[in-house]
Structures are given as C-alpha cells and as structure tokens.
Amino acid sequence: MKAEDLKNSILQLAMQGKLVPQDPNDEPASILLEKIHEEKEKLIKDKKIKRNNKESFIFRKNGHFYEKVGKKGEPVCIDDEIPFDIPDNWGWCRLGFIGDWGAGSTPKKGESKYYNNGTIPWLKTGDLNNGYINEVPEFITEIALKETSVRLNPIGSVLIAMYGATIGKVGILNIEATTNQACCACLPFNGIYNKFLFYYLMSQNKNFNKMGEGGAQPNISRTKIINYLFPIPPLKEQKRIVEKIEEIIPFVNEYGNYKEDLDKLNSEFSNKLKSSILQEAIQGKLIPQDPNDEPASVLLERIKDEKERLIKEKKIKRNKNESYIFKENNNFYEKIGNNKPICIDDEVPFNIPSNWSWCRLENVVELINGDRGKNYPAKSKLSSESGIPFISAINLKEGKIFEDNLLYMTQKQYDILSRGKLKRDDLIFCLRGSLGKNAIFNLENGAIASSLVILRRYMPNIDLRYLFYYINSNLLNQEIKKYNNGTAQPNLAASNLKKFYFPVPPYKEQKEIVSKIGELLNSLNF
C-alpha cells in the first residue's frame, strides 16, 4: 500500500469515529450544535456575519437524520445522503453551519498602489501545503485591503483550494493573510477544532476533485463547499482524534520513505534483470544453438539480394559507402564501399556464436526520417479527434503507441509529405530529447514527427520482436554513447544510428530467442 493511501485510510477511520474510543462523559454533539447556533445568532445581532435565510439544520430523530432548511422549511429525512455511519453522540451538519466561509479576490494587477511595498500576505492556491502556512511570497497593500473585496483571514483560518490542479488542497494559517479568488477560507465557530476541520477536508480530497470534474478547468465553488456534509464529534473527541492522527502520521511518513526506497530498489533490480536477459539474448547465451540452422551469413546475402532488387526498381537509393562485415579465418572484417577490407576484431562489441553474423543496422533496415520541409504540419493545424495519426515522442510508451494526447493530420496533409510515412510493423525510434524511446507501430498508417526515425526491415527474416529487443538492449545504449553529441538535449543523427553494430542469429533462432524472452519476462511479471 502506498503511504498516501494508508494516510487516507487513517483519516477516513478518524472521521467515522473508529480511530479513538468514545467517552460517554463527553458533551454530545447535539448540544454543541445548539451552542454554535446561539453563537451565530449573537454574531448576526452584532452584525459580524450575515444571516443565511436558507441555512440548514440537521438533527437525529428515532435513529434517522432529518434536515430543516430555513425557518419555514419542513424537515426531510436525509438518510440516503449520509455518507457513512457515525457514533451515537456525534452529529451531522453542513460545512456552512460550523464557520464563516469566504473566498478571496485578486486586486487589479495594473494598479501599482495595490502591490508596491505591500506588507499584507496574499496567498494563492499554489502556496497551500496541506500543513501550516507560515509565509507566502506575495503581498498587497493596506489600500488594496480597503478598496477591493479581498478578505483578511485571521490566524487559525482553514483554507481549501477551489480551482485547477490544486483543487482540494488545504492549509491552516499561522499568519494573517488574504487569498486570491481560487481559495476559500473558514474561521470555525467555538466548538469546532480547526485542526479537526483541516483533517476532515484533507480526508475528502478525492470527493472534492470528483465534484470539480466536468469543465475546462476543474473547480468547486464556495456554495458546493458550504453545502458539503460534515460529521461533528464532541469537542473533546475532536481533540483526541487530532492528537491520535498526529501521533500516527509521522510513522506513515516514515513508512512512505521506506516504501519509496524499496520501490526504487525493486524497480532498479527489475530493470537490471530485464537488461541482463536482453543482453544474454543478443549474445547468443539465452538458448542453445542448432548446427542445422541456416547460418546468418546466408540470411544476410538474401537481404543483400532483396536490396539490389529494390534499388533496381528505384524504391531505394544505392549507398556507395555501405558497410559489409564478413568472417574469415575466425576474424571479422569490414569492407566499406570500394575500400579494402579491414579487421575489426578489436571493435566488435562481444563474441557471438559461430553461425551468427555481425552487420551494421543499415544492412537490415531502411532508416526513414520524417519530412522536415515546408510540408511538415504545424501543431496548430493538427486535430485531436480524428484523421491519420501523427506520432511524436510523447506517444511512445513501453514499446507501444499510446493514443492519449495523439494528434491527427488530414489525408491532404499526409499525401503531400515527402517521407516519414509509417506502415504496420515499422519500428519508431526517438533521435532527440527522449533519446532511445521506441515503439512498434501497430496501426495501418501514420506519419512521424521530426524528432523520430522509422526503422523498416527489408525482409521479414529479421524478426520484428528480435529487432525490438535489440533496440532496448544495453548494446544499443553502448552504441548511443559512441555517437551522442553530449549536449543538454540528447541528440543522435539517423546517419549515425545506421552505423550501429547489429548481431544477427539464424532466423529460426531469432524466433526461439523471442519466445524465450517473452516466457521469462512474463514469469517475472514484466
């Protein structure tokens, strides 16, 4: 269990009266609610707060909860609305009943008199920390306090964020402070322990987030907050609950630190184990070799013939400087273009079985860049709804194409591209930024962003999954280190990627290696 989930469970138990025992000698919450009502009447009389003519009052009768709204409202049974059971000496009310709630505002930004040399803290929801607020980075002036609708909240006020990414985040003021309009503040009445309210709001974070869903920007209003149900224990029990929560939370945080370290260790171990499996595979150490298999050298000759056919049909261009690696007298030699062969024994990354061969990546796959010319589609011209997929690095995850955040181009935009068009079973590789991210393309068609390159096999006798596992092996990472430009933005040219060493097993063995890797990764839950 994650530390955050454990903390939420503890808070939920606390708010249901299950964290500490009840004391029959405590003054019941029903009397506390009557006292709050009397205090509010006094504050209304003193004109410190305004009367709410639609205020709710919840009471228990014959084991059921009833709610009366306003002076003339008829009590209505609300048992179906009560979220959970509470002890007999507790009560329910709406949040608006237990304190003075108010949202802040933002003084006009163009008015320097509201900000220059300001001394009054002005809090934004990003300053909330689910704890005590001791300082904030921004301030407003006394003039802003007098001339605008900002509200100065006293020490002890409980705050909750109402908008955006911070929705439901809370805090308690240790200083007097104003807030912007995205924050709602409550100064609880006597009988409500502010820290109990604080922990209750924290326990309801997920519910507040659900309430805020549905718009362009998530938000909950002050109205939604004050209408939200609140369980009230006797005051003494509120304090015992808070004391117990604060006794337990440090242990939860400590558990969280241990859990984080353990998860990191497990992740590192899993990644190293997976890397080890892939490395053993491409070195020919994962399964035994079969001397009856057609050697990889024959397979490479067949691919070479296929490339000649494609050149003759003008589907690809001849590379006059293409490399060709061969074995002679147990040594590896490389011939580039018309140059004389040179021994590369000191350069090949590791030993391979005798019926395997080394080659460069360009010998077995065509590397296709995206269209980087005038026909490259601007992001603003792409659709988020339908069309031909336009793949960028953000869509590559765990070797697959993730359609979240996927953008689409029109048929017309696709047709005018000079290159970078995808086919099913192409491999996509990221050259810049998220260098090395990759995926197998499993859709019918698409196009790639300029930071990507397509690896397309010349023949299916290079197994797609074997090529994929190679792309994710330590060997590829070692090859990247040879050519990576070393800048803050990792960068690799396609012209360098095609020079990477690629170990080629016989085709039958490729299939067996892929099967074995899948079996091992599945057994390890990868």
Side-chain angles (χ1 to χ4, degrees), residues 160-396:
I160 180 169
M162 297 190 292
Y163 300 165
T166 57
I167 190 171
K169 210 167 182 183
V170 293
I172 298 179
L173 285 179
N174 255 350
I175 54 173
E176 288 187 323
T178 59
T179 73
N180 69 0
Q181 66 276 11
C183 191
C184 199
C186 174
L187 183 64
F189 298 131
N190 291 328
I192 302 299
Y193 188 24
N194 67 341
K195 291 176 84 172
F196 180 79
L197 172 60
F198 165 80
Y199 284 119
Y200 177 70
L201 295 177
M202 187 184 291
S203 75
Q204 301 302 300
N205 180 275
K206 287 184 179 179
N207 287 337
F208 287 132
N209 273 275
K210 286 180 183 177
M211 286 167 56
E213 292 173 355
Q217 182 186 29
N219 73 86
I220 50 174
S221 63
R222 175 183 174 277
T223 301
K224 286 182 180 179
I225 293 171
I226 65 175
N227 285 326
Y228 198 80
L229 283 167
F230 176 65
I232 301 184
L235 179 57
K236 287 183 179 179
E237 189 170 346
Q238 292 177 42
K239 292 181 178 179
R240 291 198 300 272
I241 289 170
V242 168
E243 184 179 350
K244 180 57 74 172
I245 289 172
E246 295 186 343
E247 178 187 326
I248 295 173
I249 291 302
F251 294 105
V252 175
N253 293 337
E254 188 175 352
Y255 162 80
N257 292 334
Y258 284 130
K259 182 75 165 57
E260 188 177 320
D261 290 342
L262 182 61
D263 288 346
K264 183 180 179 183
L265 186 64
N266 286 338
S267 176
E268 289 174 351
F269 174 75
S270 297
N271 290 336
K272 286 178 180 177
L273 184 56
K274 183 176 179 180
S275 295
S276 177
I277 290 170
L278 297 186
Q279 193 63 22
E280 291 281 296
I282 63 169
Q283 287 184 244
K285 297 179 180 179
L286 198 61
I287 61 170
Q289 281 69 53
D290 184 344
N292 297 315
D293 286 345
E294 179 184 76
S297 57
V298 176
L299 184 156
L300 288 172
E301 284 295 334
R302 198 174 292 125
I303 293 174
K304 193 175 179 182
D305 292 342
E306 173 63 12
K307 289 176 73 175
E308 286 298 321
R309 184 185 72 79
L310 293 172
I311 291 167
K312 188 175 181 180
E313 293 177 1
K314 298 183 179 180
K315 292 182 178 178
I316 63 172
K317 293 181 179 179
R318 184 181 301 282
N319 177 5
K320 294 180 180 179
N321 293 312
E322 185 167 359
S323 154
Y324 179 66
I325 296 174
F326 60 95
K327 185 186 282 191
E328 189 175 281
N329 300 325
N330 292 321
N331 297 111
F332 284 105
Y333 292 86
E334 181 173 29
K335 186 176 186 300
I336 299 176
N338 294 322
N339 296 320
K340 290 183 178 180
I342 58 170
C343 181
I344 56 169
D345 282 349
D346 293 338
E347 192 178 335
V348 292
F350 45 74
N351 291 327
I352 54 175
S354 58
N355 61 344
W356 287 36
S357 292
W358 280 108
C359 72
R360 300 286 185 173
L361 198 53
E362 67 176 345
N363 297 137
V364 294
V365 298
E366 181 183 6
L367 280 79
I368 306 166
N369 279 308
D371 189 330
R372 298 172 187 172
K374 63 180 181 179
N375 294 326
Y376 187 80
K379 188 174 181 179
S380 60
K381 301 294 184 183
L382 298 171
S383 166
S384 60
E385 296 178 359
S386 62
I388 296 172
F390 184 73
I391 310 298
S392 62
I394 197 172
N395 305 120
L396 310 183

Side-chain angles (χ1 to χ4, degrees), residues 422-486:
L422 287 156
K423 295 180 180 179
R424 183 178 286 275
D425 291 342
D426 280 342
L427 256 173
I428 306 172
F429 187 87
C430 186
L431 296 170
R432 288 190 295 282
S434 302
L435 178 58
K437 278 184 76 173
N438 59 84
I440 294 173
F441 186 69
N442 57 356
L443 306 175
E444 288 305 318
N445 59 6
I448 57 169
S450 59
S451 62
L452 307 178
V453 67
I454 297 169
L455 278 65
R456 181 173 296 158
R457 298 169 298 156
Y458 288 113
M459 292 182 69
N461 55 12
I462 297 297
D463 186 89
L464 178 63
R465 296 298 297 184
Y466 178 78
L467 179 60
F468 171 74
Y469 287 134
Y470 160 78
I471 289 292
N472 288 280
S473 71
N474 281 335
L475 172 57
L476 189 102
N477 290 328
Q478 291 166 12
E479 292 290 287
I480 285 176
K481 288 176 183 177
K482 294 180 186 177
Y483 298 100
N484 180 10
N485 63 1

